[in-house]
Amino acid sequence: MSATVQQISLATPFSDQKPGTSGLRKSSRQFEIPHYLESFIEASLRVLPGVAGGTLVVGGDGRYGNRRAIGVIARMAAAHGVARLITTTDGILSTPAASNLIRQHGAIGGVILSASHNPGGPDGDFGVKINGANGGPAPESITDAIHAVTRSLDGYRILDGVADLNLEQPGSQRLGELAVEVIDGVDAYVALMQKLFDFDAIGDLLRGDFPMAFDAMHAVTGPYARRILEDLLGAPAGSVRNGTPLEDFGGGHPDPNLTYAHDLAELLLGSDTYRFGAACDGDGDRNMILGTRCFVNPSDSLAVLTANASLVPGYAEGLAGVARSMPTSAAVDVVAKELGIPCFETPTGWKFFGNLLDAGRITLCGEESFGTGSNHIREKDGLWAVLFWLNILARRREPVSRIMAEHWSRFGRHYYSRHDYEAIPTEAAHGLYDRMKAMQPALVGQAFAGRMIATADDFAYTDPVEGSLTAGQGLRLLLDDGSRAVLRLSGTGTQGATLRVYLESYVPPGGDLSQDPQAALAELIGAIDALAEIRQRTGMDRPTVIT
Ligand code: G1P
Ligand code: ZN
C-alpha cells in the first residue's frame, strides 16, 4: 500500500452547508450522503489560515459517526499538508477539552465533531464545529468564507492507500507525511482544572457527608467526571451516573435542563437524599446545577459565580469584567455593578465572548442556555462550572438553596424563564417573527402586562474590540419597570424552526423573592402570547420545553 493523494470530483456542490450558531449541524443521515462531510472539511481546510505545516486538533463527543469522521478528516488533513494532527483515544474529546488542547499545542485550530445536546445515533444528528487558533468557535468571517467555498466546490483532496487510524490507545502514527498523535483526551483538561480550583477543599467536602449526583447523560463528560469527581476528589463510586459515552446517548436527548435531565431533576427536587446535583450536555460545554429541592437557573448561576469568585483560587485576584448574552437575565449586571467591573451584553453564541476574552476585557461569561465559562479556554465549560460551584460550596458550607436565597436578598431576584416552541413549520415561525418585527415601532408607549413598553427593537451589537456590527439578534420588548420579553429564532435546530421566548422580571431586595418563576411571570407570558399570536400561529397550546 502506498499513500497517494486522490483528487475526487464533485458533480454538484452542496448548497446547504451554512454553519449556524455552533457549526454545521445536520441529521446523521445527511452526513452519510457521499462527499457531504468531505465537502465541508475541504472548504474548512482551504479557508483556515496556516493549514500547510500546521497542527490540527480533532475529536468529538463520541456520537454515531465520530470515528468515521476522524478518519476522513485525518486523511484530508494529510492531503492538505497539515503537519501534525492531535486526536484522542476512542476519539473522545469534549468541546472544552478541545479548546484547551488547541491553545496548549499552538494549533491552527480544531475540528470538533458534535451536535452538542441534539440526540445522536443513525436517526439523530451529527455536527462539525470549526474552531480557530484561540480555541474558540471560528468567527463569522471564517464560517461565511467556508460556506461560500462549499457552494462552488468542484472537488476535494484526500489521502488514499493508508491504513485506518488506530484510536484504541495513545501513541504516534503516520498517514503519509502527517504525524498523528493519539493522546488521552482527559489528562490535560484535568491538569487545567487543578490549576483553577481548590481540589483539597473540594475533596474534603466530597469525602464528608455530601452525597452528590452527576449525570453525564451517556455522553462525553463521563470519563472526565469519573476521573475528577470520583478518582481525584473522592466522591463515592456511582456519584457519576450514565458515565459511559454511547453512540446514541442511550436514546436520550443529552441536554441538561429540567425536561431532558428529568431523572436527575427528580432526584434533587423530589427528595432530600442529595446535597448537590449537576449534569452536562452531549459535548460537555453545558451545565445544569441543582441543590436539594433547588434548581439554579443559568442566569443566576453566572451571577453567583461572579459574586463568589474571590473564594476560588483561579479567580481570587479579581475579575476584569463579565459578559452575558442578550437573552440571559440581567442578574449578573447587578453583581458587576456592585463589584465595579464592566458588564457586556452580546448576541447569542459563544464566539462573541471570544474577542472580549482575547482582549482581556472579561474573565467570566455565560448564557441562559446552561452555558458558563471563563478566560481559561474559549468555549463554555460544563464541568468547570460544576467545579466552580463545588469550590464555593466547599468554602461556604451552606446548602445551595441558602446561597441562592442570600444572593437574592442582597442583589434582588430576576425571575426568568425561556419557553421553546420546537419543530414548528418554518413558514409559521417566520410569519410570526416578521409580523412582530413590523409591529415593533408602533409598540413603544403601549401598555403591556400592566406595564408600559419603553423600547422595542431588534438587538444589534457592535463588537467593542473589532468594531464590527452584528444585527438581527432578537426582538426585544423592554418594559418601563425593567422587565423584558424577547423573541428569537434558534440557529441550532435541525427540524423546522424553533421559536424561543425569553421572559424576565426583576424584584429588588425586600420584595417577594420566593415566588414560583412561572407564576411570577404569568402576566408577561399571557401578554406576549396575545401580542405575537404564538399559540394561534404555531398551532401549539404550550411550549415544548420550559426552562
Ligand atoms: C442555542 C442557545 C445558545 C447557544 C447555542 C450553542 O442556540 O440558545 O445560547 O450558544 O445553542 O450551544 P440557539 O438554538 O438559540 O440559536
Ligand atoms: Zn454543547
Side-chain angles (χ1 to χ4, degrees):
M1 236 177 1
S2 77
T4 44
V5 173
Q6 291 226 311
Q7 175 74 42
I8 311 283
S9 302
L10 276 183
T12 341
F14 293 100
S15 57
D16 66 339
Q17 300 197 320
K18 183 174 170 51
T21 320
S22 36
L24 182 67
R25 193 175 292 185
K26 301 280 176 188
S27 65
S28 300
R29 300 263 181 243
Q30 179 97 1
F31 270 101
E32 285 178 331
I33 292 172
H35 315 303
Y36 193 84
L37 169 69
E38 289 84 346
S39 160
F40 191 72
I41 298 301
E42 174 74 21
S44 304
L45 291 172
R46 287 193 195 177
V47 167
L48 270 179
V51 162
T55 296
L56 199 63
V57 171
V58 182
D61 63 12
R63 70 178 62 220
Y64 174 79
N66 195 40
R67 282 164 179 270
R68 175 183 88 92
I70 293 173
V72 167
I73 293 164
R75 287 164 55 214
M76 291 186 69
H80 284 81
V82 171
R84 190 160 70 121
L85 184 134
I86 296 173
T87 186
T88 53
T89 34
D90 298 325
I92 293 289
L93 184 63
S94 76
T95 290
S99 181
N100 180 43
L101 286 184
I102 293 169
R103 295 165 66 78
Q104 218 180 34
H105 291 272
I108 59 147
V111 186
I112 304 173
L113 305 163
S114 172
S116 189
H117 49 281
N118 290 23
D123 298 317
D125 288 337
F126 191 75
V128 181
K129 302 192 287 179
I130 303 295
N131 282 29
N134 72 346
E140 234 147 21
S141 55
I142 299 272
T143 52
D144 285 352
I146 293 173
H147 181 215
V149 172
T150 61
R151 291 169 59 120
S152 58
L153 197 67
D154 60 2
Y156 61 88
R157 283 183 295 155
I158 187 163
L159 195 70
D160 208 6
V162 286
D164 283 347
L165 278 186
N166 175 1
L167 298 176
E168 308 296 308
Q169 67 254 329
S172 302
Q173 301 162 55
R174 285 203 88 81
L175 286 186
E177 297 292 300
L178 174 71
V180 178
E181 281 169 40
V182 179
I183 62 173
D184 178 299
V186 178
D187 290 343
Y189 180 80
V190 171
L192 177 62
M193 293 303 113
Q194 285 175 312
K195 271 198 254 163
L196 297 174
F197 300 109
D198 186 341
F199 269 50
D200 290 338
I202 303 174
D204 276 351
L205 178 77
L206 298 189
R207 287 190 184 92
D209 179 24
F210 191 82
M212 68 162 286
F214 175 87
D215 192 343
M217 305 191 84
H218 303 289
V220 80
T221 51
Y224 296 83
R226 277 202 184 126
R227 176 95 63 87
I228 294 174
L229 299 173
E230 295 184 3
D231 300 350
L232 290 169
L233 293 168
S239 299
V240 175
R241 296 159 176 261
N242 305 319
T244 303
L246 301 177
E247 285 204 329
D248 66 348
F249 307 125
H253 194 138
D255 199 2
N257 59 40
L258 295 176
T259 302
Y260 296 124
H262 180 76
D263 293 351
L264 180 78
E266 274 285 89
L267 284 181
L268 271 293
L269 304 180
S271 82
D272 296 318
T273 313
Y274 294 95
R275 309 275 290 274
F276 182 75
C280 290
D281 74 330
D283 62 329
D285 57 358
R286 293 186 175 193
N287 73 90
M288 176 170 72
I289 303 292
L290 299 157
T292 315
R293 300 189 187 276
C294 174
F295 163 71
V296 180
N297 93 45
S299 302
D300 279 344
S301 179
L302 176 63
V304 170
L305 301 192
T306 303
N308 291 276
S310 63
L311 301 177
V312 177
Y315 306 93
E317 280 173 14
L319 308 174
V322 288
R324 62 165 172 88
S325 67
M326 179 273 284
T328 303
S329 95
V332 74
D333 302 35
V334 182
V335 179
K337 197 167 172 208
E338 182 167 314
L339 293 177
I341 57 174
C343 178
F344 298 87
E345 182 179 30
T346 65
T348 296
W350 209 258
K351 60 189 168 202
F352 296 97
F353 296 137
N355 284 343
L356 296 168
L357 291 165
D358 283 347
R361 306 274 287 266
I362 59 169
T363 308
L364 300 182
C365 46
E367 296 190 286
E368 48 65 40
S369 53
F370 298 82
T372 331
S374 90
N375 59 352
H376 68 294
I377 52 167
R378 294 295 179 270
E379 290 276 4
K380 55 194 175 229
D381 190 344
L383 265 173
W384 167 91
V386 173
L387 290 168
F388 205 128
W389 265 95
L390 287 172
N391 199 143
I392 293 171
L393 293 167
R395 292 290 306 278
R396 290 186 53 171
R397 299 277 172 164
E398 288 170 274
V400 174
S401 57
R402 191 171 321 138
I403 288 179
M404 292 318 303
E406 282 176 9
H407 186 90
W408 294 326
S409 66
R410 179 165 163 214
F411 298 103
R413 180 169 181 183
H414 291 77
Y415 285 102
Y416 184 84
S417 185
R418 182 176 107 179
H419 290 196
D420 295 333
Y421 296 82
E422 294 179 347
I424 46 184
T426 312
E427 291 282 284
H430 286 277
L432 183 157
Y433 198 80
D434 294 346
R435 174 177 164 275
M436 266 297 286
K437 191 170 166 163
M439 269 164 50
Q440 274 191 331
L443 294 175
V444 177
Q446 299 221 354
F448 185 85
R451 297 110 165 162
M452 195 191 78
I453 298 175
T455 307
D457 67 1
D458 191 354
F459 181 64
Y461 175 70
T462 304
D463 188 298
V465 183
E466 282 182 351
S468 52
L469 179 77
T470 306
Q473 295 299 307
L475 306 180
R476 308 192 293 179
L477 297 182
L478 309 180
L479 310 184
D480 55 354
D481 69 341
S483 305
R484 306 192 296 170
V486 174
L487 299 185
R488 250 189 91 245
L489 294 177
S490 155
T492 59
T494 53
Q495 284 161 25
T498 294
L499 173 72
R500 306 203 193 283
V501 183
Y502 308 86
L503 306 141
E504 175 179 346
S505 159
Y506 178 61
V507 174
D512 185 353
L513 301 172
S514 53
Q515 302 170 60
D516 167 70
Q518 300 307 317
L521 297 164
E523 234 185 322
L524 278 179
I525 294 169
I528 192 67
D529 179 53
L531 182 67
E533 300 179 350
I534 296 172
R535 277 184 292 179
Q536 181 186 328
R537 287 170 175 268
T538 61
M540 296 165 75
D541 49 2
R542 72 181 69 85
T544 326
V545 179
I546 295 182
T547 43

